[in-house]
Amino acid sequence: MMFVDKYGESEIYIFMMVLSLIPIASIYTASYFVDTLGRWFLLMMSSLITGLSLMTFIAFPANSRISIIVFYVIFGAYSLFMKVLWSVTYLYTPEVYPTPVWSTALAMMNVFDKFASIGQPMVMSIIVYTSFRLSMAIFGATYLLTFIFSMLLT
């Protein structure tokens, strides 16, 4: 983590404990809002909020204790809505597409995931070493593209 040297390990453990509780909240959030807001709207909004929360790290100053708290809140929002996004994706695709299409797409994503998990640590270490803000911009732009493509699902 980027703040271990400045603030110590105890805050990092609290941060990790909170992040481990977020999947529980995201499951309940997704299951409640998928029926009230609808799958398509929740898919769009969760990808938009995820992308915008990542884009806030571009102009994020990390030099005070208040900025650390803001960092925890923004990262918590990112984690919550990212998990809601994937939950809605797994709910949405089996209903919209026929079984051969979504099962083939899921298998292709798993194959791509295996190859990407090999190269991702090397690529991301180069990008993060170059610029933390650049890596957050790339991730945020990816989720904003997801937002744009999910608007086309109507």
Side-chain angles (χ1 to χ4, degrees):
M1 294 294 190
M2 62 196 284
F3 303 116
V4 173
D5 298 332
K6 193 169 185 178
Y7 294 106
E9 292 182 11
S10 63
E11 292 178 355
I12 299 301
Y13 289 129
I14 292 171
F15 177 61
M16 291 307 221
M17 183 186 72
V18 169
L19 283 182
S20 66
L21 295 176
I22 286 177
I24 298 169
S26 68
I27 290 170
Y28 287 115
T29 304
S31 64
Y32 176 74
F33 285 120
V34 83
D35 289 332
T36 58
L37 297 176
R39 288 167 175 78
W40 176 70
F41 186 75
L42 188 60
L43 183 73
M44 275 191 351
M45 288 300 110
S46 59
S47 62
L48 178 68
I49 293 171
T50 303
L52 292 178
S53 64
L54 283 172
M55 288 296 192
T56 57
F57 288 121
I58 295 172
F60 188 77
N63 54 5
S64 68
R65 190 164 296 275
I66 297 296
S67 66
I68 299 300
I69 294 170
V70 171
F71 177 79
Y72 288 166
V73 170
I74 291 171
F75 199 79
Y78 156 72
S79 297
L80 174 75
F81 285 102
M82 181 196 57
K83 289 176 183 17
V84 168
L85 174 67
W86 287 110
S87 298
V88 172
T89 301
Y90 285 130
L91 285 172
Y92 191 75
T93 52
E95 295 178 357
V96 175
Y97 302 105
T99 302
V101 172
W102 68 263
S103 62
T104 304
L106 188 61
M108 290 171 58
M109 285 190 329
N110 284 331
V111 168
F112 180 73
D113 179 47
K114 301 304 178 198
F115 288 118
S117 64
I118 296 169
Q120 186 267 342
M122 295 179 281
V123 171
M124 283 315 299
S125 64
I126 292 169
I127 292 174
V128 170
Y129 181 73
T130 305
S131 173
F132 177 74
R133 288 183 171 91
L134 176 65
S135 64
M136 291 298 113
I138 291 170
F139 284 141
T142 304
Y143 280 104
L144 291 178
L145 280 174
T146 304
F147 167 70
I148 291 169
F149 289 138
S150 64
M151 287 191 321
L152 300 174
L153 286 175
T154 60

